[in-house]
């Protein structure tokens, strides 16, 4: 996890087709916390992957419309599982940034990239302000 220390934010990728994907989230967050409290406080985006819809229908998960033209139709139970998992994840993660995607079909990846860019810009601005402040304090001390 040392490589993650250089990151300005964290993406937590969840497989929404698992029975209880929020359990994976808890495990991942705990591992990050055990490694570094500083790292655990960085901005995070929860990426809810495998939010594929049946056929070419449009589903609305977590505020994002996903349309995935599939060659293989998912069963109704699979579609229901995704919807239930999405609803439960939203209940358990109020206040968290959650983005539903379908990596297989490339759905909502531009939204994810946009959110990643926002984190990058915000963190870079914070770092710039901190460096400027440190320089001003050093100049005051030397003066």
């Amino acid at each position: 996890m040392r490589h993650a220390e250089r990151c300005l934010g964290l993406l937590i990728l969840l497989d929404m087709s698992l029975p209880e994907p929020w359990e994976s989230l808890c495990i991942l967050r705990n591992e990050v916390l055990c490694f570094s409290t500083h790292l655990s406080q960085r901005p995070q985006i929860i990426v809810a992957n495998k939010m594929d819809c049946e056929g070419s229908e449009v589903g609305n998960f977590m505020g994002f419309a996903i349309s995935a033209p599939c060659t293989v139709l998912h069963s109704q139970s699979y579609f229901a599982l995704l919807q239930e998992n999405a609803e439960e994840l939203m209940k358990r993660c109020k206040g968290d940034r959650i983005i539903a995607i379908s990596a297989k079909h490339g759905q909502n990846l531009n939204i994810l990239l946009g959110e990643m860019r926002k984190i990058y810009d915000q963190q870079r601005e914070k770092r710039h302000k901190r460096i400027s402040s440190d320089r001003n304090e050093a100049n005051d001390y030397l003066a």
Side-chain angles (χ1 to χ4, degrees):
M1 285 238 263
R2 268 196 196 142
H3 66 281
E5 290 179 312
R6 294 188 301 269
C7 298
L8 297 177
L10 301 174
L11 295 180
I12 300 176
L13 185 67
L14 298 180
D15 181 346
M16 295 302 287
S17 67
L18 294 175
E20 295 179 342
W22 45 89
E23 293 296 326
S24 298
L25 176 64
C26 291
I27 291 168
L28 289 169
R29 281 186 164 166
N30 187 49
E31 286 181 12
V32 171
L33 180 62
C34 289
F35 179 76
S36 166
T37 54
H38 180 70
L39 185 59
S40 71
Q41 295 170 355
R42 298 224 176 118
Q44 298 178 3
I45 299 174
I46 299 169
V47 182
N49 190 28
K50 296 192 179 178
M51 296 301 290
D52 312 317
C53 297
E54 297 181 306
S56 59
E57 293 177 20
V58 174
N60 188 359
F61 294 103
M62 299 177 206
F64 298 110
I66 296 178
S67 174
C70 305
T71 54
V72 177
L73 295 179
H74 294 299
S75 68
Q76 285 290 356
S77 61
Y78 178 78
F79 186 70
L81 173 70
L82 293 178
Q83 192 163 12
E84 289 170 17
N85 282 349
E87 291 169 3
E88 186 63 28
L89 183 66
M90 287 191 310
K91 285 179 194 172
R92 291 173 180 258
C93 299
K94 288 187 178 173
D96 284 316
R97 241 181 245 181
I98 303 172
I99 299 178
I101 69 165
S102 170
K104 179 179 180 181
H105 299 289
Q107 296 295 312
N108 287 348
L109 296 181
N110 285 336
I111 293 169
L112 175 59
L113 290 173
E115 289 298 310
M116 290 168 60
R117 183 62 194 216
K118 285 179 191 175
I119 287 175
Y120 175 80
D121 290 344
Q122 290 167 353
Q123 294 300 104
R124 195 160 180 230
E125 180 66 25
K126 280 183 186 178
R127 183 179 285 170
H128 178 72
K129 285 180 182 177
R130 189 174 59 241
I131 290 170
S132 295
S133 175
D134 290 348
R135 283 185 185 149
N136 290 338
E137 286 179 18
N139 289 338
D140 290 345
Y141 179 74
L142 295 173

